[in-house]
Amino acid sequence: MVVGGMNRVVRLSMALGLAGAAGLAASGQTLQDYAAFPGFRQGQPVVRFALPPQVSTLYATGEQVLADQNEERWRPMCFNRAPLTEAEIRAIRAEHQTKLANEPITVVDSGRRGAGINIVFNLAGSVPGAAVTSFTIAEAYLEDQFSDPITVTVNVSFANLGGGIIGATSSNFLTNRTYTAVRNGMVNGMDFNDTIQSLLPAGSTVPVRYVGTTGTVTNESLVDVTWANYKATIGSVGGSDGDMTYNSSFGFDYDPSNGVPGSQLSLVDTIVHEVGHALGFVSAADNSGGGQFETMDLFRFQRTDGAGDYNPDTNAEFTTTARLVDYNVPNDDHNSDFIWAEYRMSDGTPYQASHFREQSGASNIGIMDPAIANGQTYYPNYFKTADTDMFDALGYDYPPGCSSVSITTHPMTQSVCQGTEVTLSVSVDGTSPTFQWKRNGTNISGATSATYTILSPIPANSGSYTVEVDNACSSPILSNAATLTVNPTTTIITHPLSDEVDEGDSVTFTTTASGASLTYQWRKNFISIPGATSASYNIPAAALDDAGSYRVSVTGSCGTVVSNEAILVVNDVPDCAADYNGDTTADVVDFLDFLDDYGTCDGQPAPCGGISNADFNGDTVIDVLDFLDFLDAFGTGC
């Protein structure tokens, strides 16, 4: 069953961090601190369960990273009884999971309002029918608060938990995220009214005082982030964000619009409070031993200056002052500081540090205050200024109505041939985005849509392309660079020329071509010549059978072309051995030269290898036989 709309697929779903603790007191009674991990000073267990790794896509870069330190953290929503034991919490979780697996599920989901946040409650069959109204009211209210285009999913069941306890809750976390990734996500996700995120310390660490009695500073490089807060700032991932089990024997009022009886606790207020923790309203100051840090702690400082000027008064001091993350030290001296506003925070006792400070005699400053009384409700405006200031600082887009822009798919590197149409594209989330494409960092005139098309590109269009995306409620963000390579068409510029040579002469055919990754193959009479694979082809000494038709084919990344035909003519050269002086006639002058060589080889004693023109028969001796041959050639032309 779907209440208020169709069941939606979770679109963005992974985060990091600590499960938001409960901590609502009722009937004006003091709430004990039930936010302790094993070993915490208060001793109330928070039970952790490992979750499978997930792949997250980072908004800033489009990079896919493995989220491999996921945790589901359960803790009690307590009232006025002794703390739950770890065994009791484990039993509550086990029963909760069984009900979700076996009972019919009612999905409270009216769908995302505009481009804003989408809240989904999956209600097991154990949830009373009347309670569906509470989750419907809470869903509608929360979706009206933020413009982040994400889905936050919470699974809910009811169980008889006995007296004195409201229920138990969990949030899903990714632990030990780098401070750099968290800061970059928060800065990249800034909307039109955000400033404080850009003042967070630059670099890979943030200064933290884990021991409030000293000035010792730890340069912290890791941050725990709740899943929902991760989705709102850093990246997308699949999965639900938290779980809630409410006590079926507890006295809840399901609709605060007509008032809340003094004997009942407003379930809607409780739901909004608990979802607030899952959204990231958590502090590691609830921990003992130090060394843990959560997103909200980026704004947590000592309330007074103390010995080390620990309370920032300017933007510059906000950047450099060490954060304070210690349990109850200094006692009652903690706050969240945005420079333009600061709010006192619980320090871990008597209330969890993951709350505003309960101020005696004063009205609650927000629904994230640790205590609420029976008969009390914040209806219809559950969040107060303190609440929205904190969530805005955590990276949620407040006020609503404008969803900050984020890039979901970056333009891709491409290689095309000259003249082939090419399109670069980007996909984004956000309200009314604007686009400006750039080539090598320079704006391209008129390129102001999500796609940029070049109808007939030429090599000069090659370059590095980016697109700047902006809208009215966020800072401009620049896409990853996409390299466009436009390869020229394979073209022969200079064709080989026909030639006529004498037998024995050297001949060279040459071509010039343009294009990318060129290769060559010369052919004679259409048959490939082995080894003839360069831009020129040389025949050192032309023979009669080298005559013929020559072409070269040129192959590049953008096609193959064949040259014009070049004709080679090889002239037959007649034997003119008797023509000593080269005047083309064997005459008396040549006879006298012959006589000079007679009995020798070019002036060398015979035999001398038959190298002389006079050695007609090649027997290396110029003798009477050669004389007879000379007489045969005498008087003839060459």
Side-chain angles (χ1 to χ4, degrees):
M1 173 180 179
V2 178
V3 176
M6 296 190 66
N7 190 4
R8 300 171 63 87
V9 175
V10 176
R11 191 167 65 85
L12 300 177
S13 148
M14 143 172 191
L16 320 160
L18 177 77
L24 291 173
S27 300
Q29 301 188 40
T30 299
L31 173 67
Q32 299 181 37
D33 180 1
Y34 295 143
F37 286 84
F40 288 10
R41 292 181 176 91
Q42 291 295 318
Q44 172 65 38
V46 169
V47 186
R48 308 183 186 200
F49 301 89
L51 294 175
Q54 296 197 45
V55 175
S56 168
T57 301
L58 302 182
Y59 300 143
T61 64
E63 176 188 8
Q64 288 193 323
V65 298
L66 182 66
D68 58 353
Q69 298 187 59
N70 300 302
E71 285 186 354
E72 177 185 351
R73 300 180 184 175
W74 277 81
R75 66 183 70 214
M77 292 184 275
C78 287
F79 177 49
N80 60 357
R81 59 155 282 178
L84 289 173
T85 66
E86 179 176 331
E88 288 174 320
I89 294 175
R90 288 182 179 276
I92 290 172
R93 176 183 181 267
E95 183 178 357
H96 171 77
Q97 289 187 325
T98 298
K99 289 180 177 181
L100 288 169
N102 298 310
E103 295 180 351
I105 301 298
T106 297
V107 180
V108 176
D109 180 17
S110 60
R112 183 179 298 144
R113 286 166 167 74
I117 196 168
N118 186 36
I119 304 294
V120 177
F121 293 109
N122 293 323
L123 308 183
S126 56
V127 177
V132 176
T133 298
S134 301
F135 290 95
T136 303
I137 294 171
E139 181 234 10
Y141 176 77
L142 289 166
E143 288 185 349
D144 283 340
Q145 303 312 301
F146 308 113
S147 296
D148 303 85
I150 65 173
T151 295
V152 176
T153 302
V154 179
N155 304 314
V156 183
S157 68
F158 271 57
N160 189 340
L161 304 179
I165 184 168
I166 299 172
T169 184
S170 81
S171 292
N172 293 340
F173 284 74
L174 189 62
T175 63
N176 296 330
R177 294 300 90 193
T178 65
Y179 167 69
T180 300
V182 174
R183 183 189 187 277
N184 288 347
M186 297 181 74
V187 171
N188 291 330
M190 291 170 61
D191 63 17
F192 69 103
N193 70 335
D194 285 336
T195 57
I196 194 68
Q197 294 87 349
S198 63
L199 301 176
L200 293 169
S204 60
T205 62
V206 56
V208 184
R209 292 168 59 226
Y210 283 116
V211 181
T213 56
T214 74
T216 301
V217 172
T218 298
N219 292 316
E220 181 59 74
S221 62
L222 301 175
V223 185
D224 290 355
V225 189
T226 65
W227 281 30
N229 198 189
Y230 181 89
K231 296 181 201 177
T233 55
I234 301 173
S236 64
V237 74
S240 62
D241 301 273
D243 295 83
M244 299 177 186
T245 292
Y246 289 92
N247 191 351
S248 59
S249 66
F250 199 87
F252 289 112
D253 175 82
Y254 297 130
D255 186 357
S257 65
N258 55 11
V260 178
S263 61
Q264 294 182 330
L265 182 69
S266 170
L267 182 58
V268 175
D269 289 74
T270 306
I271 295 167
V272 172
H273 178 99
E274 296 303 330
V275 171
H277 286 304
L279 293 178
F281 204 106
V282 289
S283 172
D286 285 319
N287 306 351
S288 68
Q292 285 187 287
F293 193 79
E294 294 168 6
T295 312
M296 193 169 72
D297 295 327
L298 291 168
F299 309 99
R300 190 179 185 97
F301 299 88
Q302 186 168 315
R303 183 173 63 89
T304 60
D305 280 331
D309 193 17
Y310 297 129
N311 179 263
D313 302 304
T314 65
N315 289 347
E317 289 186 357
F318 174 86
T319 299
T320 59
T321 300
R323 278 62 181 163
L324 174 63
V325 186
D326 195 6
Y327 176 92
N328 196 33
V329 178
N331 180 42
D332 197 24
D333 199 13
H334 298 227
N335 73 348
S336 287
D337 201 324
F338 312 119
I339 303 303
W340 46 268
E342 56 184 348
Y343 302 102
R344 295 191 68 175
M345 303 298 292
S346 296
D347 61 11
T349 183
Y351 299 105
Q352 295 168 322
S354 303
H355 297 93
F356 292 123
R357 179 178 181 271
E358 180 73 9
Q359 302 181 53
S360 177
S363 60
N364 294 358
I365 65 172
I367 202 167
M368 299 314 296
D369 188 275
I372 189 172
N374 280 353
Q376 181 182 356
T377 180
Y378 288 79
Y379 174 84
N381 299 312
Y382 300 94
F383 284 154
K384 305 305 179 187
T385 299
D387 300 309
T388 54
D389 282 351
M390 182 62 77
F391 288 119
D392 194 32
L394 287 172
Y396 291 92
D397 293 334
Y398 183 89
C402 187
S403 173
S404 62
V405 70
S406 62
I407 296 176
T408 56
T409 303
H410 291 256
M412 302 297 292
T413 291
Q414 297 185 56
S415 180
V416 300
C417 292
Q418 179 176 344
T420 302
E421 180 179 314
V422 61
T423 296
L424 298 166
S425 63
V426 66
S427 298
V428 302
D429 275 336
T431 304
S432 302
T434 61
F435 306 90
Q436 177 59 63
W437 288 89
K438 302 171 183 286
R439 177 179 173 273
N440 298 334
T442 301
N443 289 353
I444 302 171
S445 177
T448 55
S449 68
T451 60
Y452 174 57
T453 298
I454 307 174
L455 294 177
S456 185
I458 59 176
N461 295 127
S462 298
S464 176
Y465 285 80
T466 55
V467 58
E468 186 177 82
V469 184
D470 197 1
N471 70 359
C473 58
S474 63
S475 301
I477 56 176
L478 193 66
S479 73
N480 295 347
T483 300
L484 175 63
T485 302
V486 181
N487 296 310
T489 302
T490 305
T491 304
I492 292 178
I493 300 172
T494 303
H495 291 262
L497 299 175
S498 295
D499 200 359
E500 181 177 355
V501 298
D502 289 336
E503 183 181 7
D505 288 348
S506 174
V507 61
T508 299
F509 294 110
T510 301
T511 187
T512 57
S514 63
S517 304
L518 298 180
T519 61
Y520 302 85
Q521 179 59 63
W522 289 88
R523 294 177 172 83
K524 177 191 174 188
N525 299 331
F526 303 102
I527 298 174
S528 295
I529 303 172
T533 55
S534 65
S536 62
Y537 174 57
N538 172 255
I539 304 173
L544 293 177
D545 60 1
D546 287 324
S549 171
Y550 288 82
R551 290 180 174 84
V552 61
S553 62
V554 183
T555 300
S557 57
C558 291
T560 297
V561 290
V562 179
S563 71
N564 295 343
E565 179 185 48
I567 301 298
L568 175 63
V569 175
V570 180
N571 296 318
D572 184 15
V573 177
D575 185 7
C576 291
D579 182 20
Y580 271 78
N581 60 9
D583 63 359
T584 71
T585 302
D587 53 17
V588 172
V589 176
D590 299 302
F591 176 69
L592 294 176
D593 288 335
F594 175 81
L595 291 179
D596 288 340
D597 284 344
Y598 190 84
T600 67
C601 289
D602 287 333
Q604 300 299 317
C608 53
I611 60 173
S612 170
N613 285 353
D615 185 17
F616 279 81
N617 59 7
D619 62 359
T620 73
V621 177
I622 302 174
D623 53 16
V624 67
L625 296 177
D626 298 303
F627 177 70
L628 295 174
D629 288 335
F630 180 84
L631 291 179
D632 288 341
F634 188 79
T636 63
C638 297

